[in-house]
C-alpha cells in the first residue's frame, strides 16, 4: 500500500508512503480515496489528517508514471480532491519538508492546512512547459492573493512556508507548527479542535479579488512575454490565474483547457524529456545504486590555469578542501589570483557573503610538489592536452597517490584507456571532462575506461551531484560524446562557407533556431587554434576526413579569436561584440575562387538542418558504438554543455519531433551536394532502421 491508514482515538491519519517524495501515483491516489471513505464510514472517527512519510508531504506527480496510462487512470488527482472536498468529516493536511505541484493542489483541496517550519512550497509545473492542472491556478490565488500566487505559478520557484505564513490575510495555512517534530501531534490536536465545526470550509468558495486586477494582469503578461519568448506556458499561466477572478467552476474549465493545450506543445514535450533525461543520466545500467562508494574528503588538482582553477572552485564551493599543484610558483600565484578575483566578483555582486568567500579560500592550499598530494582521495589533472604530458603526470601520480585514490583526467578528446595504462592501477582511473568555465558550466562528462572500477564510477557520479554538476557517462573514443559530435557540426559550418554563406549568416541562423551561440562565434570564444590542432592531428590519423580549408587559413592569419582580438570576427579591446570582418570575407571569397567554387544562396533552413542533423547522425553512431548508454544522455550533453536550445529538447529529441524519416530524407539530399561529404551523410544504421520502422530514439 502506498498510503497507510491508522486510527488515533477519534482521528484517522492517512500517511502517504511512496518514496522518495510521496509521488501521487495511481496506487497512492486510490489509497487516499479508500482512506477518506473508510474514515467517513467509521462512526468513531471525527476528523481526518493527511500527511506524508519520510522527507516530504508530497512532491506531486509520480514521475515513474509519466507517459503511461496510469497517470490518467481514475481516480486522477481532480477526483481525489473532489473526494476530499466532499468528505463529511473535516480533512486536515499536515504539511512538512516538501509540498509541491500536485502535493500542494492536494493540500489546497483539504478543509484545513497545518504546516511545519522550513517547508518548501511550490507549483513548479511551468518548468515542464505546463501549468498546474488540478486547481492550482484557481485555489492558490484565493488563498494567497492574486499577485503572490501568480508569481509562484509563473516562476515555478519554491517559497519557504514562513514567508508565505507572514503574508497579511493569507489563508493557505491555518496553523504553523512549532517544529517539524511536533507537526504530527499539533495537527491531530488541531483536527480534534475543529472536528465539530460546520460548515466545512472550501477554498473554492473563497473570493479572489484584486483592486486593479485587469491592470496587474496586463502588466504580468507584458513581463512574461519579454522573459519567456520560446515558451508558451508562462503566458498561459497568466491566462489561467486571470480566470480565478471569476467563478470557480468556469476558472477550472479554463485551467483544464489550457493545461491540455500545453501538454501537446513541442516545448512541453522537450522540457518533460529534459526532466526525465536528467534523472536517467545518473543511472548506469550495470552499476546499481547500492554500489559502495569511496569517501572523498580531499581533492588534488594539477594545473592552476583557467580550467584547473575553475575545477578547484567547484569543490571549494561544496566545502571540500583542495590542493592545487603547479610546476612554477608564478603559475600558482597567477591561478590563485584568478580564483580570488572570481570570488571577489561574486561578493561585489552580492552573490556571495564575505565570510563564505573567506571560508572557501581557507580550504585551498597550493604546492609545487607531487608529494603533497599523497593523502588526496581524488586527484584531477588539468594540464596541456597532449598525451606525452598526460603520461608524465600520471606516472608521477601513480608513484605518490595513496592506494584507492581516484585518478581523473580532464582530457576533452584523448584516450582514457591509454592514460590509465600509464599507471599500475587502471581500475582507479576515470575521465572527468569539465567544460569551460568549469566553475559555471553544468556538464561533466564522466569517461568510463575499459578497466574503470564500478565503485569509482558510482563515487564520481555522486560527487557530481555534490558539486552541482549534471554528469553523463561516456565510453572511450576520440572526443567522447560532445566533442565527437561537435566536430561534424563544425565541418558542416566550414562547408557552408565554401558554398556561399558568411560566418554571420550561419551564426544568425542557428541563434535564431535557439542556440546560445553560432559555430563561428563559439570558435572565437574557445580559440580557433584548438580546432586547428585537432585538424593537424586528424591529417595524420584520418587523412580521408574532409574539411574546409577556411579555418586553417584563418589560423594562418593569426586570427585565433577573442584572445587575439581577431577571429572569424573583429573585436574591440575590452569588448566581446562580434564585428563582421572584411578581411575574413575576402579570405573566404579568395578561397572559393582558388577552388573554382561558384557561391550560391543558402537558406537559413538548410543551414540549421545541416548543422543539427550532423549532430543527430553522429549521435546515432555514438549510440550504436555504445559510447552513450541512451539518447537522453546525448541530449543532456548538448543542453548543458553546448548551448543547444532547451525548448528543442536536445538534438536526438528534436530529430524525433521532426520525424526520423524526414531527417533521413534531408540527409539523402545533402549527400548529393558535391561540396559536402557524401560519405558522412550516409544515415547511421540505427537511424536508418528506426526511420524505416517509424520509431524514434529511446
Amino acid at each position: 500500500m502506498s498510503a497507510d491508514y491508522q486510527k488515533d482515538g477519534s482521528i484517522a491519519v492517512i500517511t502517504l508512503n511512496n518514496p522518495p517524495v510521496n509521488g501521487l501515483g495511481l496506487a497512492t491516489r486510490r489509497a487516499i480515496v479508500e482512506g477518506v471513505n473508510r474514515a467517513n464510514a467509521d462512526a468513531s472517527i471525527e476528523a481526518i489528517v493527511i500527511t506524508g512519510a519520510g522527507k516530504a508531504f508530497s512532491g506531486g506527480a509520480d514521475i515513474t508514471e509519466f507517459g503511461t496510462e496510469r497517470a490518467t487512470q481514475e481516480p486522477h488527482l481532480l477526483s481525489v480532491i473532489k473526494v476530499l472536498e466532499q468528505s463529511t468529516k473535516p480533512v486536515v493536511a499536515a504539511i512538512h519538508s516538501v509540498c509541491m505541484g500536485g502535493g500542494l493542489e492536494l493540500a489546497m483541496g483539504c478543509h484545513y492546512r497545518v504546516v511545519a517550519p522550513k517547508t518548501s512550497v511550490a507549483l513548479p509545473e511551468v518548468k515542464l512547459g505546463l501549468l498546474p492542472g488540478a486547481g492550482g491556478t484557481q485555489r492558490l490565488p484565493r488563498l494567497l492573493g492574486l499577485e503572490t500566487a501568480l508569481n509562484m505559478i509563473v516562476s515555478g520557484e519554491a517559497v519557504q512556508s514562513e514567508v508565505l505564513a507572514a503574508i497579511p490575510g493569507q489563508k493557505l495555512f491555518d496553523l504553523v507548527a512549532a517544529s517539524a517534530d511536533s507537526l504530527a501531534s499539533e495537527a491531530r490536536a488541531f483536527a480534534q479542535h475543529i472536528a465539530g465545526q460546520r460548515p466545512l470550509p472550501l477554498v473554492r468558495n473563497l473570493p479572489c479579488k484584486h483592486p486593479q486586477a485587469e491592470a496587474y494582469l496586463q502588466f504580468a503578461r507584458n513581463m512574461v512575454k519579454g522573459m519567456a519568448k520560446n515558451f508558451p506556458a508562462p503566458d498561459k499561466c497568466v491566462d489561467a490565474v486571470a480566470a480565478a477572478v471569476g467563478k470557480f467552476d468556469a476558472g477550472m474549465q479554463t485551467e483544464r483547457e489550457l493545461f491540455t493545450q500545453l501538454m501537446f506543445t513541442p516545448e512541453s514535450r522537450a522540457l518533460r524529456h529534459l526532466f526525465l533525461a536528467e534523472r536517467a543520466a545518473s543511472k548506469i545500467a550495470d552499476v546499481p545504486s547500492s554500489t559502495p562508494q569511496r569517501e572523498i574528503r580531499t581533492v588534488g588538482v594539477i594545473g592552476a590555469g583557467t580550467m584547473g582553477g575553475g575545477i578547484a572552485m567547484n569543490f571549494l564551493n561544496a566545502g571540500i578542501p583542495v590542493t592545487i599543484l603547479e610546476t612554477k610558483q608564478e603559475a600558482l600565484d597567477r591561478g590563485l589570483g584568478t580564483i580570488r578575483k572570481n570570488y571577489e566578483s561574486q561578493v561585489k555582486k552580492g552573490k556571495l557573503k564575505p565570510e563564505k568567500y573567506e571560508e572557501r579560500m581557507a580550504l585551498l592550499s597550493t604546492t609545487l610538489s607531487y608529494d603533497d598530494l599523497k593523502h588526496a582521495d581524488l586527484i584531477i589533472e588539468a594540464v596541456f592536452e597532449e598525451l606525452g604530458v598526460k603520461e608524465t603526470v600520471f606516472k608521477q601520480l601513480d608513484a605518490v597517490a595513496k592506494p584507492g585514490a581516484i585518478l581523473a583526467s580532464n582530457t576533452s578528446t584523448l584516450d582514457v584507456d591509454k592514460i590509465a595504462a600509464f599507471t599500475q592501477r587502471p581500475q582507479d582511473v576515470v575521465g572527468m571532462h569539465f567544460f569551460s568555465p568549469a566553475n559555471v558550466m553544468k556538464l561533466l562528462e564522466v569517461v568510463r575506461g575499459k578497466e574503470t572500477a564500478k565503485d569509482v564510477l558510482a563515487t564520481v557520479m555522486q560527487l557530481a551531484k555534490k558539486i552541482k554538476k549534471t554528469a553523463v557517462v561516456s565510453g572511450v573514443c576520440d572526443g567522447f560524446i560532445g566533442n565527437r559530435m561537435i566536430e561534424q557540426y563544425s565541418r558542416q559550418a566550414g562547408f557552408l562557407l565554401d558554398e556561399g554563406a558568411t560566418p554571420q549568416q550561419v551564426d544568425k541562423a542557428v541563434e535564431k533556431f535557439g542556440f546560445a551561440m553560432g559555430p563561428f562565434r563559439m570558435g572565437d570564444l574557445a580559440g580557433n587554434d584548438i580546432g586547428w590542432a585537432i585538424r593537424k592531428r586528424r591529417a595524420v590519423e584520418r587523412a580521408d576526413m574532409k574539411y574546409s580549408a577556411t579555418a586553417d587559413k584563418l589560423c594562418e592569419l593569426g586570427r585565433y579569436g577573442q584572445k587575439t582580438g581577431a577571429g572569424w570576427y573583429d573585436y574591440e579591446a575590452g569588448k566581446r561584440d562580434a564585428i563582421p570582418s572584411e578581411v575574413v570575407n575576402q579570405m573566404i571569397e579568395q578561397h572559393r575562387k582558388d577552388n573554382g567554387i561558384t557561391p550560391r544562396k543558402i537558406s537559413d533552413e538548410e543551414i540549421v538542418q545541416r548543422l543539427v542533423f550532423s549532430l543527430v547522425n553522429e549521435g546515432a553512431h555514438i549510440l550504436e558504438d555504445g559510447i552513450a548508454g541512451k539518447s537522453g544522455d546525448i541530449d543532456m550533453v548538448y543542453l548543458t554543455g553546448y548551448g543547444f536550445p532547451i525548448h528543442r529538447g536536445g538534438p536526438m529529441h528534436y530529430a524525433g519531433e521532426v520525424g526520423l524519416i524526414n531527417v533521413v530524407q534531408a540527409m539523402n539530399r545533402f549527400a548529393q551536394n558535391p561540396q559536402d561529404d557524401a560519405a558522412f551523410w550516409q544515415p547511421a544504421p540505427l537511424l536508418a532502421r528506426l526511420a524505416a520502422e517509424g520509431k524514434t530514439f529511446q
Side-chain angles (χ1 to χ4, degrees), residues 8 93 112 119 194-195 199 310 313 335 363 382 389 413 427 429 431 474 490 502 527 643:
D8 184 355
Y112 302 95
T119 298
I194 54 84
M313 287 179 70
L363 294 170
V389 179
T413 57
Q427 73 280 0
V429 178
S474 170
S490 298
T502 62

Side-chain angles (χ1 to χ4, degrees), residues 229 489 493 496-497 501-522 569 578-581 585 602-609 611 645 648:
K229 60 181 179 180
Y489 173 91
L496 287 163
L497 295 189
T502 62
Q504 50 267 35
Q505 183 196 357
V506 174
D507 283 349
K508 283 180 180 176
V510 292
E511 287 164 13
K512 186 178 178 182
F513 175 77
F515 271 87
M517 194 175 288
F520 298 106
R521 286 180 61 213
M522 182 178 70
Y569 297 91
I579 304 167
S581 171
N585 289 338
I602 302 175
S603 69
D604 286 358
E605 181 184 27
E606 180 183 342
I607 290 170
V608 169
Q609 286 188 344
L611 292 176
R648 307 284 188 185

Side-chain angles (χ1 to χ4, degrees), residues 511-575:
E511 287 164 13
K512 186 178 178 182
F513 175 77
F515 271 87
M517 194 175 288
F520 298 106
R521 286 180 61 213
M522 182 178 70
D524 279 358
L525 178 64
N528 295 308
D529 50 327
I530 295 173
W532 196 20
I534 292 172
R535 289 190 297 278
K536 287 176 180 176
R537 180 161 61 89
R538 281 279 186 272
V540 176
E541 298 172 356
R542 292 281 306 276
D544 61 320
M545 190 170 279
K546 178 182 175 183
Y547 291 92
S548 165
T550 53
D552 290 352
K553 290 179 183 293
L554 184 81
C555 291
E556 287 163 7
L557 293 171
R559 299 179 68 97
Y560 296 159
Q562 290 186 18
K563 61 188 174 184
T564 59
W568 293 105
Y569 297 91
D570 293 330
Y571 299 90
E572 294 179 359
K575 295 184 179 180

Side-chain angles (χ1 to χ4, degrees), residues 116-117 177-184 186:
S179 69
D181 291 338
S182 66
L183 174 68
E186 290 192 58

